[in-house]
Amino acid sequence: MTTEILPKNENDSIQKEIISKIRDYINFKNLEPGDKLPSERKLSEKFEVSRGNVREAIQTLESYGLLYSKPQSGTFIADIGPVAMNGMINDILRLEEPDFKTLVETRILLELKTVRLAALRRTEEDLKEIEEALEAYAEKVMKGEDAVQEDLLFHLAIAKAAGNSTINTFMLTITPEIITNFAKYHVCDKNVAFTGIQEHRDVYEAIKKKDPQLAKEKMKIHFKLLYQYCYNIND
Amino acid sequence: MTTEILPKNENDSIQKEIISKIRDYINFKNLEPGDKLPSERKLSEKFEVSRGNVREAIQTLESYGLLYSKPQSGTFIADIGPVAMNGMINDILRLEEPDFKTLVETRILLELKTVRLAALRRTEEDLKEIEEALEAYAEKVMKGEDAVQEDLLFHLAIAKAAGNSTINTFMLTITPEIITNFAKYHVCDKNVAFTGIQEHRDVYEAIKKKDPQLAKEKMKIHFKLLYQYCYNIND
DNA sequence: CAAACCAATTTGGTAAACCAGTTTTAGAAA
DNA sequence: TTTCTAAAACTGGTTTACCAAATTGGTTTG
């Protein structure tokens, strides 16, 4: 068992090990789309791991669309040729844990998009929900209380109004990590919050006016502080 | 049991049911960060579902950073206040299955970003891998064979060179869905591939020259066909 | 009276057993 | 030899039983 890079936990490590062994097996046997993989039981004894571990690895590859399982039948190679199969598995194996800088970089990218789309596509109901989130945020700040949660919900409301379920999913994925790191690095100080109210209002007004360009500009201003953490953003 | 929107499968449905019940429980008991949730066994009998289903729901909420489990101890509320907890769970529950249009819209957004970052940050090794992917693609096309896989790997190589692990993860997430839908809607015809070679070369040259603006322009041209599926892209 | 210790219970995690379809196979009939 | 059928073996999915760590409450001890 090769221990190349120390992973965050043991479980993640052995799953990657299994995935790479599955890749090797697919290559060795020249499995093509539609071909059947050995049963979970056989793989587990061949790799000398528990069946649960094998199932976990298969489900991961299934989530990337590389395999598919038919109940009471078997696990099969998806409709992806060997070249792409190898390339994608290798990419999956070398995926790094997202760090704070790339999280922020990605969040800014996504939000500058969602705010434009929200300005273009928002319904009256969307607008109302954004306004409610804005007021809840402002109220909290005026009381001098911490308003990180309300801040977050304002941005999520905009993402929802953008009407892009894929981006929405991504926003939800990175949000908790962002919060954790914000707290760790003390990005959001109390004094920032007051200026934040007006910035939020500006964004809201631009969405209300259905002006995508203005909305994007105002969001950029709102993200000015974050830019410090994130070089090479000048779109 | 309320059946609001028909889900894609039964399993997904009951998991959402359980998640909403967990949300209700957290609200009813006013659980705050650090508070302990009842054990999986108690929740399973309270909700009248199997313990496996409860575990699945908890793991989903764990993946969004809303709960965390300590072995042989219990499951706890993460460091997120009740307002954000409710907002995020509600967002999670109403997440729609990504459709083709939002997938393409998101892919274009991500790739226009990665190609810029790749032009700025690429190492010599990155460049070499991109070139290899390009040549493999061109070779396949010249032989008149299907080159969807090689096309995909070229784009993934660029994403890798962008050096943003978060975006990279997202690219890997949507790629299989894109492929599936491409095949379904016959987006990539054979005749497109020949013009694709030069377009790929242009993108590659721009990355080689470390010209982010040019790289983005060339990628835009390459995505011209995709634009048809995706209105409101004019960034 | 407080602190330290110990056993019993509770916990999330995991491996084993079980289930309901599917696939293969062996055998009998034509 | 071929074809059809029934049963046995196999499969992924699910439930159940078990495990070891950690918490808890009571007891003992300094």
Side-chain angles (χ1 to χ4, degrees), chain B residues 132-148:
Chain B
E132 285 172 1
L134 171 62
E135 292 310 323
Y137 168 78
E139 194 175 333
K140 251 320 186 36
V141 171
M142 294 306 279
K143 280 199 224 164
E145 297 175 23
D146 180 75
V148 176

Side-chain angles (χ1 to χ4, degrees), chain A residues 41-220:
Chain A
R41 289 170 179 80
K42 281 180 185 162
L43 287 179
S44 71
E45 68 178 82
K46 180 192 285 278
F47 299 157
E48 292 177 343
V49 292
S50 77
R51 191 184 153 201
N53 293 133
V54 173
R55 280 182 62 78
E56 210 176 342
I58 287 177
Q59 279 168 10
T60 297
L61 293 177
E62 235 181 314
S63 76
Y64 284 106
L66 302 181
L67 301 176
Y68 62 92
S69 291
K70 281 204 287 185
Q72 286 80 40
S73 180
T75 302
F76 302 85
I77 309 291
D79 191 20
I80 288 180
V83 180
M85 176 69 72
N86 260 291
M88 285 201 59
I89 292 185
N90 286 335
D91 282 345
I92 291 168
L93 287 175
R94 84 173 127 224
L95 264 187
E96 300 158 15
E97 200 63 16
D99 55 313
F100 189 32
K101 199 170 68 185
T102 70
L103 276 171
V104 170
E105 190 171 87
T106 309
R107 184 194 169 183
I108 292 175
L109 172 70
L110 293 179
E111 291 234 29
L112 291 183
K113 186 71 178 184
T114 57
V115 77
R116 283 189 66 251
L117 293 180
L120 290 166
R121 299 174 182 172
R122 68 157 183 84
T123 64
E124 287 304 316
E125 192 188 340
D126 289 331
L127 190 67
K128 195 178 157 196
E129 288 188 23
I130 296 173
E131 188 184 3
E132 285 173 2
L134 171 60
E135 293 308 325
Y137 169 77
E139 195 175 331
K140 255 306 185 50
V141 172
M142 295 306 281
K143 281 197 220 166
E145 298 174 22
D146 180 75
V148 176
Q149 300 177 43
E150 286 75 10
D151 184 11
L152 152 73
L153 290 181
F154 174 76
H155 288 275
L156 285 182
I158 292 174
K160 179 165 169 277
N164 184 312
S165 55
T166 304
I167 296 183
N168 228 322
T169 305
F170 290 164
M171 284 285 293
L172 278 176
T173 305
I174 64 175
T175 293
E177 303 256 11
I178 294 273
I179 294 179
T180 306
N181 283 284
F182 267 33
K184 195 198 295 180
Y185 295 115
H186 306 290
V187 174
C188 279
D189 289 344
K190 280 282 174 66
N191 56 351
V192 182
F194 275 101
T195 65
I197 294 182
Q198 189 54 48
E199 290 173 3
H200 277 202
R201 267 193 217 291
D202 291 341
V203 172
Y204 166 75
E205 289 297 332
I207 294 175
K208 187 177 179 181
K209 276 193 279 190
K210 299 192 176 182
D211 186 336
Q213 199 54 41
L214 180 64
K216 187 174 171 182
E217 288 303 320
K218 292 302 182 184
M219 186 63 90
K220 263 192 193 173

Side-chain angles (χ1 to χ4, degrees), chain B residues 166-185:
Chain B
T166 304
I167 295 182
N168 227 321
T169 306
F170 290 163
M171 285 284 292
L172 277 176
T173 305
I174 65 174
T175 292
E177 303 257 10
I178 294 272
I179 294 177
T180 306
N181 283 285
F182 266 33
K184 195 198 294 179
Y185 295 116

Side-chain angles (χ1 to χ4, degrees), chain B residues 117-135:
Chain B
L117 293 180
L120 289 167
R121 300 176 181 170
R122 66 155 186 84
T123 64
E124 286 304 316
E125 192 189 339
D126 289 330
L127 189 67
K128 195 178 157 197
E129 289 188 22
I130 295 173
E131 188 185 2
E132 285 172 1
L134 171 62
E135 292 310 323

Side-chain angles (χ1 to χ4, degrees), chain A residues 1-19:
Chain A
M1 173 171 165
T2 58
T3 50
E4 312 147 348
I5 306 168
L6 73 160
K8 60 175 175 182
N9 60 52
E10 182 64 23
N11 208 17
D12 196 32
S13 167
I14 67 169
Q15 188 185 142
K16 288 204 170 188
E17 200 80 24
I18 295 173
I19 287 177

Side-chain angles (χ1 to χ4, degrees), chain B:
Chain B
M1 173 170 166
T2 58
T3 51
E4 310 147 351
I5 306 167
L6 74 159
K8 61 175 174 182
N9 61 50
E10 182 64 24
N11 209 16
D12 196 33
S13 167
I14 69 169
Q15 188 185 143
K16 288 204 168 186
E17 200 82 23
I18 295 173
I19 288 178
S20 74
K21 282 178 180 174
I22 291 177
R23 176 201 56 192
D24 295 342
Y25 181 89
I26 291 175
N27 290 330
F28 184 65
K29 296 284 186 182
N30 282 317
L31 294 189
E32 297 174 357
D35 287 353
K36 193 162 88 171
L37 223 56
S39 71
E40 296 174 349
R41 290 170 178 81
K42 282 178 184 164
L43 286 178
S44 71
E45 67 178 81
K46 180 193 285 277
F47 299 157
E48 291 177 342
V49 293
S50 78
R51 191 186 153 201
N53 293 131
V54 173
R55 280 181 63 79
E56 208 176 345
I58 288 176
Q59 279 168 9
T60 297
L61 293 177
E62 238 182 313
S63 75
Y64 283 106
L66 303 180
L67 302 176
Y68 61 93
S69 291
K70 283 204 286 186
Q72 286 79 40
S73 178
T75 302
F76 301 85
I77 309 290
D79 192 19
I80 286 181
V83 179
M85 177 69 73
N86 260 290
M88 284 201 60
I89 292 185
N90 287 334
D91 282 345
I92 292 168
L93 287 175
R94 86 174 125 223
L95 263 187
E96 300 158 14
E97 200 63 17
D99 54 314
F100 189 33
K101 199 170 65 187
T102 71
L103 276 171
V104 171
E105 190 172 87
T106 309
R107 184 195 168 182
I108 292 174
L109 172 70
L110 293 179
E111 291 234 30
L112 291 184
K113 185 71 177 184
T114 56
V115 77
R116 284 190 65 251
L117 293 180
L120 289 167
R121 300 176 181 170
R122 66 155 186 84
T123 64
E124 286 304 316
E125 192 189 339
D126 289 330
L127 189 67
K128 195 178 157 197
E129 289 188 22
I130 295 173
E131 188 185 2
E132 285 172 1
L134 171 62
E135 292 310 323
Y137 168 78
E139 194 175 333
K140 251 320 186 36
V141 171
M142 294 306 279
K143 280 199 224 164
E145 297 175 23
D146 180 75
V148 176
Q149 301 176 41
E150 286 74 12
D151 184 11
L152 153 71
L153 290 181
F154 175 74
H155 288 276
L156 286 182
I158 292 174
K160 179 164 170 277
N164 182 313
S165 56
T166 304
I167 295 182
N168 227 321
T169 306
F170 290 163
M171 285 284 292
L172 277 176
T173 305
I174 65 174
T175 292
E177 303 257 10
I178 294 272
I179 294 177
T180 306
N181 283 285
F182 266 33
K184 195 198 294 179
Y185 295 116
H186 306 289
V187 174
C188 279
D189 289 343
K190 282 280 175 68
N191 55 351
V192 181
F194 276 102
T195 65
I197 294 182
Q198 189 54 48
E199 290 173 3
H200 277 203
R201 269 195 215 290
D202 291 342
V203 171
Y204 166 76
E205 289 297 332
I207 293 174
K208 187 176 179 182
K209 278 192 277 189
K210 299 193 176 181
D211 185 336
Q213 198 55 39
L214 180 64
K216 187 174 171 182
E217 287 303 319
K218 293 302 182 185
M219 186 64 89
K220 261 191 194 174
I221 293 171
H222 183 49
F223 277 148
K224 202 170 64 182
L225 270 177
L226 276 180
Y227 272 76
Q228 298 171 355
Y229 290 88
C230 208
Y231 46 85
N232 294 329
I233 307 278
N234 46 357
D235 182 4

